[in-house]
């Protein structure tokens, strides 16, 4: 490839906020020979940043690849991300795919496109060069990889062992983002609760970030239950942190949690969330639930349902169990391993799973009404994402999307304060 020719690149990403951040880094390459296009039909290269958290995600990846080839028969299609790391051989067999690049080498993609030699040492935490012209809220990757071995998960296979961003470098990047005008910074990673460098752990970096002056605030993308302690609660109860936390529970049954190898009990989880709600009035807590994990009885599901009900979760990511090839539970079900008592592990009928999912969806909607009622007329910060005519669209710190018609002169990325009523209709706080 000639290094002097300017190339148009179309990017698509799927899955978590970490993937979104990494796509932003690729888009923001400083090389003037790379031009990001919003139309894949015009692209010389199409980069698809994949997810593999569920079987459905894998299907979406392959559909996106085929659609990209139909839209642009001449483009060079590069597939990267988690699916590219766990299923590279399968992807290489697809006629539509030209190149597969794993997560470990994702940030070499701009050099690959330009035909440049890449460094042997790859920085997993590059500067993101984000600007308000592109996005209203900034993502900041502070961690990657995971050392947990949950039996249903294949992400450790795609992301590797846990690694963390240098603390001083993290502070420098935050300062750069603030100078660029960002007023919300989303801290992201695969398992940020296990952030650890030779300078400290998660609570230490959060304290340092809280000391940075400015009108900005931080959002923690997701946190595991075993990372919640008194010190953590004292830190995030400060104004520098959004009144929202996402804390995956996966199941309310100790039997299922043990089979998942989650490392905590339902009682411990309940206690942690209860403490958070008492410590931070008005906080909105989201969670993940896997429905139909092998061995889940009616009683196991009932315990999950009751936990979601007691904690009044109104932001629940509900995942029907998806057997991931290569995960330990897949091997157990295939009778290749026996580290878990196999006589208690059985697959759940699809119709039963669908019925349980619908029960949780209905419960979530009831809980949402309760949460909105309990927090109505309470001021929350919000970040403006876009403005169309006189309508301002925003995301609140407790993670509701809303809009207000106003003649006030606002800009994308501005921080405002809003209230909402019992019908989630918003108004500005003067």
């Amino acid at each position: 490839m000639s290094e002097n020719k300017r190339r148009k690149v179309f990017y698509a990403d799927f899955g978590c906020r970490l993937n979104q951040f990494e796509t932003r880094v690729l888009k923001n390459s400083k090389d003037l020979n790379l031009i990001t296009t919003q139309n894949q039909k015009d692209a010389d290269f199409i980069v698809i940043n994949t997810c593999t958290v569920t079987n459905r995600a894998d299907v979406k990846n392959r559909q996106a690849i085929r659609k990209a080839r139909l839209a642009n028969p001449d483009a060079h299609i590069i597939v990267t991300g988690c699916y590219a790391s766990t299923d590279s051989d399968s992807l290489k067999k697809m006629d539509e795919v030209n190149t597969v690049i794993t997560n470990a080498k994702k940030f070499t993609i701009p050099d690959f496109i330009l035909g440049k030699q890449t460094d042997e040492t790859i920085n997993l935490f590059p500067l993101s060069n984000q600007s308000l012209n592109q996005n209203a809220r900034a993502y900041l990757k502070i961690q990657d990889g995971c050392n947990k071995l949950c039996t249903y998960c294949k992400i450790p296979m795609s992301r590797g062992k846990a690694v963390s961003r240098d603390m001083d470098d993290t502070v420098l990047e935050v300062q750069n983002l603030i100078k660029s005008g960002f007023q919300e910074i989303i801290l992201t990673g695969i398992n940020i609760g296990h952030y650890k460098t030779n300078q400290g752990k998660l609570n230490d970096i959060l304290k340092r970030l809280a000391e940075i002056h400015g009108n900005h605030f931080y959002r923690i993308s997701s946190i595991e239950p075993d990372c919640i302690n008194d010190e953590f609660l004292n830190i995030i109860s400060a104004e520098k942190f959004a009144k929202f936390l996402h804390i995956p529970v996966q199941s309310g049954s100790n039997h299922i949690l043990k089979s998942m190898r989650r490392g905590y009990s339902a009682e411990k989880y309940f206690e942690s969330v209860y403490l958070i709600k008492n410590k931070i009035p008005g906080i909105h807590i989201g969670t993940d639930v896997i429905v139909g994990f092998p061995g889940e009885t009616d009683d196991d599901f009932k315990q999950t349902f009751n936990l979601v009900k007691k904690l009044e979760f109104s932001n629940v990511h509900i995942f029907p169990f998806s057997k991931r090839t290569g995960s330990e539970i897949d091997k157990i079900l295939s009778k290749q391993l026996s580290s878990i008592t196999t006589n208690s592990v059985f697959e759940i009928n699809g119709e039963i799973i669908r019925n349980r999912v619908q029960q949780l969806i209905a419960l979530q909607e009831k809980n949402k009404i309760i949460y909105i009622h309990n927090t109505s007329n309470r001021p929350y910060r919000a970040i403006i994402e876009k403005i169309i005519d006189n309508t301002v669209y925003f995301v609140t710190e407790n993670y509701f999307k809303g809009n207000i018609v106003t003649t006030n002169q606002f800009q994308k990325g501005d921080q405002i304060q809003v209230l909402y009523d019992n019908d989630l209709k918003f108004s500005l706080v003067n």
Side-chain angles (χ1 to χ4, degrees):
M1 295 182 213
S2 169
E3 293 188 16
N4 297 320
K5 181 184 175 183
R6 303 187 81 186
R7 294 176 174 83
K8 292 182 180 180
V9 188
F10 175 85
Y11 296 91
D13 58 43
F14 299 90
C16 66
R17 286 170 170 165
L18 183 56
N19 253 14
Q20 294 172 42
F21 167 83
E22 291 172 340
T23 299
R24 288 188 188 184
V25 172
L26 295 175
K27 284 182 177 180
N28 294 337
S29 169
K30 291 292 188 181
D31 198 305
L32 296 178
N33 287 320
L34 290 175
I35 305 169
T36 298
T37 177
Q38 302 302 317
N39 186 350
Q40 61 183 355
K41 292 181 180 180
D42 295 335
D44 301 305
F45 288 80
I46 296 174
V47 178
I48 301 175
N49 193 2
T50 60
C51 170
T52 188
V53 71
T54 63
N55 288 328
R56 182 172 174 78
D58 293 350
V59 170
K60 286 183 176 180
N61 295 329
R62 299 174 81 87
Q63 287 175 340
I65 292 166
R66 293 188 178 105
K67 286 180 180 178
R69 178 56 73 212
L70 285 172
N72 191 333
D74 299 322
H76 186 112
I77 295 181
I78 300 171
V79 182
T80 187
C82 291
Y83 190 50
S85 297
T86 61
D87 295 78
S88 60
D89 290 342
S90 175
L91 284 168
K92 288 173 182 175
K93 293 176 182 176
M94 291 184 69
D95 293 336
E96 297 87 351
V97 175
N98 296 102
T99 305
V100 177
I101 297 179
T102 63
N103 275 323
K105 296 185 177 181
K106 184 181 290 182
F107 295 128
T108 67
I109 288 175
D111 285 343
F112 173 84
I113 290 173
L114 294 170
K116 295 181 178 180
Q117 287 292 109
T118 57
D119 294 332
E120 288 295 319
T121 303
I122 299 168
N123 181 11
L124 291 175
F125 304 99
L127 295 176
S128 58
N129 300 314
Q130 297 173 75
S131 75
L132 283 170
N133 291 331
Q134 300 164 312
N135 303 99
R137 303 182 297 150
Y139 287 113
L140 176 57
K141 176 183 176 182
I142 66 169
Q143 188 273 341
D144 202 347
C146 185
N147 295 337
K148 290 176 72 74
L149 296 171
C150 300
T151 57
Y152 55 83
C153 187
K154 64 187 284 192
I155 296 304
M157 291 183 270
S158 65
R159 289 282 180 174
K161 295 289 186 181
V163 290
S164 300
R165 189 177 198 132
D166 176 80
M167 201 174 288
D168 291 335
D169 182 62
T170 301
V171 171
L172 177 63
E173 177 73 334
V174 166
Q175 291 170 335
N176 289 337
L177 292 170
I178 294 168
K179 288 177 184 176
S180 297
F182 287 103
Q183 297 195 49
E184 178 180 338
I185 299 170
I186 302 164
L187 306 177
T188 188
I190 293 298
N191 190 341
I192 66 173
H194 290 182
Y195 177 93
K196 184 180 180 181
T197 71
N198 57 10
Q199 298 167 294
K201 298 183 179 181
L202 177 66
N203 288 344
D204 300 301
I205 185 60
L206 293 181
K207 283 189 282 190
R208 284 194 62 180
L209 295 181
E211 292 169 354
I212 299 175
H213 295 295
N215 195 39
H216 63 284
F217 62 89
Y218 305 99
R219 183 184 302 278
I220 298 172
S221 60
S222 184
I223 191 81
E224 288 290 316
D226 57 359
C227 300
I228 297 167
N229 52 46
D230 289 340
E231 184 182 25
F232 175 78
L233 292 181
N234 287 332
I235 295 167
I236 66 162
S237 62
E239 279 297 303
K240 279 293 182 189
F241 294 90
K243 287 184 169 56
F244 182 87
L245 280 177
H246 187 86
I247 313 170
V249 64
Q250 308 302 4
S251 176
S253 160
N254 285 334
H255 160 237
I256 296 299
L257 288 172
K258 184 176 181 181
S259 291
M260 290 177 169
R261 202 181 287 136
R262 289 293 291 162
Y264 55 84
S265 67
E267 292 78 15
K268 176 62 179 174
Y269 182 93
F270 181 90
E271 178 186 340
S272 296
V273 174
Y274 186 79
L275 286 172
I276 295 169
K277 288 191 169 191
N278 281 329
K279 180 77 174 180
I280 310 172
I283 192 169
H284 193 188
I285 299 178
T287 195
D288 295 340
V289 172
I290 295 175
V291 177
F293 186 83
E296 183 185 73
T297 64
D298 288 341
D299 186 61
D300 290 323
F301 174 72
K302 184 177 180 181
Q303 291 174 50
T304 300
F305 184 93
N306 288 339
L307 183 70
V308 172
K309 184 176 182 179
K310 287 178 184 176
L311 291 174
E312 297 178 350
F313 284 131
S314 59
N315 185 301
V316 186
H317 296 169
I318 304 167
F319 297 94
F321 172 72
S322 182
K323 186 169 64 174
R324 312 304 294 123
T325 302
S327 66
E328 185 165 344
I329 194 63
D330 171 53
K331 294 174 184 177
I332 291 166
L333 292 170
S334 301
K335 297 183 179 179
Q336 295 176 19
L337 286 180
S338 58
S339 59
I340 294 179
T341 307
T342 54
N343 60 15
S344 65
V345 179
F346 51 88
E347 294 193 64
I348 310 301
N349 177 274
E351 188 60 38
I352 292 175
I353 293 176
R354 285 187 287 274
N355 179 265
R356 290 174 181 175
V357 166
Q358 290 304 312
Q359 289 182 59
L360 283 177
I361 290 173
L363 176 61
Q364 175 184 230
E365 290 305 308
K366 291 178 182 178
N367 288 345
K368 184 176 180 180
I369 293 170
I370 294 171
Y371 176 79
I372 291 171
H373 174 78
N374 290 341
T375 56
S376 62
N377 297 314
R378 180 192 294 268
Y380 286 98
R381 292 168 292 187
I383 300 296
I384 295 174
E385 293 209 304
K386 62 181 178 180
I387 302 170
I388 300 176
D389 297 326
N390 290 328
T391 303
V392 172
Y393 297 85
F394 52 81
V395 176
T396 66
E397 62 175 306
N398 62 334
Y399 213 54
F400 282 122
K401 290 189 176 183
N403 64 82
I404 294 171
V405 176
T406 177
T407 56
N408 290 7
Q409 296 301 305
F410 291 119
Q411 293 182 327
K412 178 181 175 179
D414 281 353
Q415 182 183 145
I416 57 177
Q417 278 209 328
V418 298
L419 302 169
Y420 51 79
D421 61 18
N422 288 335
D423 295 319
L424 205 61
K425 292 181 179 178
F426 290 88
S427 59
L428 276 171
V429 176
N430 293 330

